[in-house]
Amino acid sequence: MADVAGVPVSAEVATRIANSIGPAFEGFAPIAGTLPFDLEPASFLLVQQAGKASK
Amino acid sequence: MSTEPALLSLTEVAKAIAQKRFSSRETTQSCLDRIARWQPCLNAFMEIEAEAALAAADAADAALAKGNKHGALHGVPLAHKDMYYEAGKVVTCGSRIRRDFVATVTSTALRRLKDAGAIRLGSLQMAEFAYGPTGHNAHYGAVHNPWNVDHITGGSSSGSGSAVAARLTFAALGSDTGGSIRLPAHFCGVTGLKTTSGRISRAGAMPLSQALDTVGPLARSAEDCALLLGLMAGADPEDPTAVTGPVPDYTAATRGQIKGLRIGVPTAFYVDDLDPEVARIFDETIAVLKGEGANIVQVELPDQRQLTAACQLVLAVEAAAFHKRWLIERPQDYGPQVLMRLQNGLAIPGVSYLEAMRWRGPALAAHLAAVAGVDAVIAPVAPVDAPTIAESDVGNSPDAEAVIQRLTRFTRPINYLGLPSLALLTGFTRGGLPVAMQLIGRSFEEAMLLRIGAAFQRATDFHDRVPKSA
C-alpha cells in the first residue's frame, strides 16, 4: 500500500492518480513558478469587485 | 396558453395562480401526473412527495382565497437538486454515504424560494456529491434524457435538467462547479444560469469546492431564470462570500432589446474540434443574434487551456479535502468514478494548489481586458451533443478522466474565472437532440446575459418545444 496525503491507496491506484492528474500539471506548467512574489489569492476578489464597482 | 398547467413557463404559471386561472392544486396535480408518466423512464426524481405537495397546494389556495399572497411564486410547485438542505428532510447528495442524512438547517436559496411562496414537489437526482458531468450515478442509476432516453442528461444537475425539460417541474435549482448547470441545460435543452461567484448565497448547499461552487437555476426560459435569480440573490449573514449591495431588476432586463450590443465570438479554443452539428447550430445562433441587431465581433481570449488546468487543480484538491475523512473511513461507499476523482486530489501538492488560486486574479484581469470591447461572449457549452448512456459509462477506467475533460472543456474556464454564463437551447441536431450555447458575461453582469437570452428566445421557439412522452 502507498500513502497519499495520509490516505492509504494501492500501488495501482497511486499509478492511476499520477496518470490522471498529469495533464492538469502539464496544462498549468506555463504559469507554475512564474507568479510574482506579492500576489495574494485574494487578488481575485479585488479584480472581481473592481469590475462591479465601476458599473 | 396551454390548458395543461405543467406546460406553462414558471412566469406564466405564477401569474395564472395569482389570478386564480389555475389553482395551486390543479397545477401541482398536473406536475404529479406528468411525473407519474415520465419518472419510470427518466429516473429524474430522488423522492416524490405527492401527498405533502398537494396539502401545501391546498394551503396556498386557501391563503389566496383569503387574499394572502405569499410572494412571486405563491403556490408554484418546484423540485430541486438533492443537495440543498431543508431542515427535517433527507438530503442524499446523490450518495450512499448520505442516504439517511437529515438536514438540520434550510439552505438560504431554498428558504428564499419558499418565502416567495414556492411549494415542494420532492427532490431531484444528481451525480454523486455533484462530482460527475454525465448523469450517471453508481447508487441510484443514470438519469435519462427526455429527448432520447438512451442518451445522457449531463451532470451533475442531471435530475434538474431532465425534469425541467420534461415539464415535471417549472424550474429547479442546480449547482455549477465545473459545468454542472450548463451541461444538463445543453444536453437536455433547457435554460441554465451559472451565476457569478458570490451572487447567490451557498449557505446550506452541499460543498464540493469553496472557490468554484455556484448556485443557479435551470428553467424553461431566460425570463424564468431572471425571476428566480432576483428572488435568491443578495447578501446573506450565513455566507460571507455572498456579495452585498442592491440586487438588479433582472426581470426588467429581459425586456431589453439587443440592437447595437456587441457580442464576441472567440477566435480559438471554443470553436476548435466542434462536432459538425454543434458547429452548424453555433453559426445559426450567431445569425439569429445578428438578425436581432447585435454586432458580432471576434474576440481573442487568453489561453483557455491554462484556465482549464488551473480549474482542475483547484477543484480536485478542494473536493478531496472536503471528503478526506470519508475517504479514510468509508472508501467502499463511494461509486468507483467519484472515488477515483477524489483520490486524484490527494496527490496534488499544496504549492500547486496555491499557485492555481493565486493566478485567479491575474487570469480574471486578463480576461476582462480581452472582452473590454464586447457586452458578452458566445460559445458552445460542449463540443458534442449528448452521448449515449452506454458509451459514456466509463466508471473508473483509464479513459474516464479524458471523457470527463472532453465534456467539461468549455465550461471549466468560466468556473475558474468565477464569471456568469447563461446556457440557452439554440437548436436541435438532425437526430433530434438539443444543443445549447453559452453567453459568458463579466462578473455580476447576469442582467446582460438574461437580456440577450430573452431576446433570442423571443425570436425563436426552441425553448417552447416539449419532448414527446416515451
Side-chain angles (χ1 to χ4, degrees):
Chain A
M1 294 292 279
D3 181 288
V4 184
V7 178
V9 297
S10 67
E12 182 192 350
V13 169
T15 304
R16 194 187 62 204
I17 290 173
N19 291 336
S20 294
I21 62 177
F25 287 117
E26 285 166 26
F28 194 64
I31 307 302
T34 68
L35 298 175
F37 175 76
D38 290 318
L39 183 63
E40 286 271 359
S43 65
F44 171 73
L45 295 175
L46 290 175
V47 176
Q48 192 193 46
Q49 294 297 324
K52 186 165 182 262
S54 67
K55 295 297 151 204
Chain B
M1 183 175 286
S2 172
T3 55
E4 187 179 350
L7 296 182
L8 300 179
S9 73
L10 175 73
T11 307
E12 289 170 338
V13 83
K15 202 178 288 181
I17 292 172
Q19 295 173 347
K20 300 181 185 168
R21 283 183 279 126
F22 287 121
S23 67
S24 176
R25 171 171 268 271
E26 287 172 315
T27 304
T28 303
Q29 189 62 59
S30 176
C31 291
L32 291 170
D33 290 345
R34 290 186 69 83
I35 291 167
R37 283 205 304 276
W38 279 93
Q39 172 67 6
C41 56
L42 295 184
N43 191 28
F45 271 73
M46 186 69 80
E47 190 71 41
I48 302 162
E49 300 173 11
E51 280 185 30
L54 289 169
D58 288 341
D61 287 333
L64 198 58
K66 290 180 188 166
N68 298 326
K69 183 176 177 237
H70 293 151
L73 300 178
H74 186 100
V76 176
L78 297 176
H80 305 292
K81 187 175 186 177
D82 197 23
M83 56 166 273
Y84 288 94
Y85 300 171
E86 182 162 350
K89 297 283 185 187
V90 170
V91 184
T92 68
C93 304
S95 69
R96 176 184 291 166
I97 288 174
R98 284 204 146 177
R99 189 188 286 274
D100 301 316
F101 167 69
V102 179
T104 55
V105 297
T106 297
S107 70
T108 299
L110 268 192
R111 194 184 67 243
R112 288 179 176 172
L113 297 181
K114 204 172 174 183
D115 288 348
I119 63 179
R120 179 183 169 103
L121 274 172
S123 56
L124 296 171
Q125 258 264 46
M126 57 182 285
E128 182 181 7
F129 288 117
Y131 210 12
T134 57
H136 291 83
N137 184 307
H139 312 295
Y140 301 98
V143 184
H144 297 254
N145 191 317
W147 295 98
N148 185 330
V149 295
D150 293 331
H151 290 251
I152 65 164
T153 56
S156 64
S157 310
S158 49
S160 302
S162 182
V164 172
R167 276 45 175 176
L168 312 185
T169 177
F170 296 97
L173 287 181
S175 65
D176 198 316
T177 304
S180 288
I181 287 174
R182 289 162 289 159
L183 290 167
H186 166 64
F187 292 128
C188 294
V190 300
T191 307
L193 178 61
K194 183 240 173 266
T195 53
T196 307
S197 297
R199 182 66 286 179
I200 299 177
S201 167
R202 299 177 299 183
M206 180 213 79
L208 178 61
S209 157
Q210 68 265 29
L212 307 172
D213 288 345
T214 54
V215 173
L218 293 95
R220 296 171 202 178
S221 67
E223 186 184 32
D224 290 352
C225 287
L227 172 59
L228 292 166
L229 177 59
L231 292 169
M232 292 188 289
D236 178 16
E238 301 294 321
D239 180 1
T241 69
V243 295
T244 56
V247 174
D249 185 342
Y250 295 111
T251 295
T254 63
R255 294 192 276 268
Q257 302 298 311
I258 62 169
K259 188 172 167 52
L261 292 184
R262 289 168 65 84
I263 299 176
V265 176
T267 54
F269 187 76
Y270 294 99
V271 292
D272 298 337
D273 302 323
L274 297 181
D275 175 274
E277 289 274 70
V278 174
R280 169 181 65 80
I281 293 168
F282 187 37
D283 290 342
E284 290 170 359
T285 306
I286 290 167
V288 171
L289 293 170
K290 210 170 178 177
E292 293 301 297
N295 294 320
I296 307 299
V297 297
Q298 292 209 314
V299 286
E300 198 169 328
L301 299 173
D303 192 333
Q304 303 288 293
R305 291 169 303 175
Q306 294 164 3
L307 301 175
T308 303
C311 183
Q312 193 181 350
L313 294 174
V314 172
L315 172 55
V317 171
E318 293 188 350
F322 276 118
H323 284 269
K324 187 169 176 184
R325 181 175 166 185
W326 287 332
L327 285 172
I328 295 169
E329 294 176 355
R330 305 182 62 177
Q332 73 282 0
D333 289 335
Y334 287 100
Q337 187 181 92
V338 173
L339 178 63
M340 174 194 79
R341 298 185 71 199
L342 289 170
Q343 289 170 331
N344 288 346
L346 297 169
I348 295 170
V351 170
S352 298
Y353 165 74
L354 273 171
E355 279 189 302
M357 286 298 287
R358 291 171 69 221
W359 188 54
R360 275 187 106 192
L364 177 58
H367 175 88
L368 294 176
V371 301
V374 299
D375 295 290
V377 171
I378 188 163
V381 173
V384 294
D385 61 5
T388 63
I389 289 172
E391 72 184 305
S392 55
D393 189 12
V394 287
N396 62 353
S397 72
D399 296 337
E401 198 59 42
V403 169
I404 291 164
Q405 294 304 320
R406 177 160 167 74
L407 291 179
T408 58
R409 185 155 61 109
F410 295 162
T411 50
R412 286 187 175 200
I414 315 309
N415 295 84
Y416 181 71
L417 298 174
L419 297 170
S421 173
L422 180 69
L424 288 172
L425 169 61
T426 61
F428 287 86
T429 65
R430 297 188 206 293
L433 290 170
V435 169
M437 300 297 149
Q438 57 178 333
L439 292 161
I440 304 159
R442 281 185 280 270
S443 312
F444 302 105
E445 291 197 359
E446 283 87 351
M448 175 59 73
L449 308 183
L450 292 163
R451 175 178 167 186
I452 298 168
F456 179 87
Q457 290 178 335
R458 280 194 296 274
T460 59
D461 71 349
F462 299 116
H463 64 293
D464 287 330
R465 297 185 194 175
V466 182
K468 298 278 181 283
S469 190

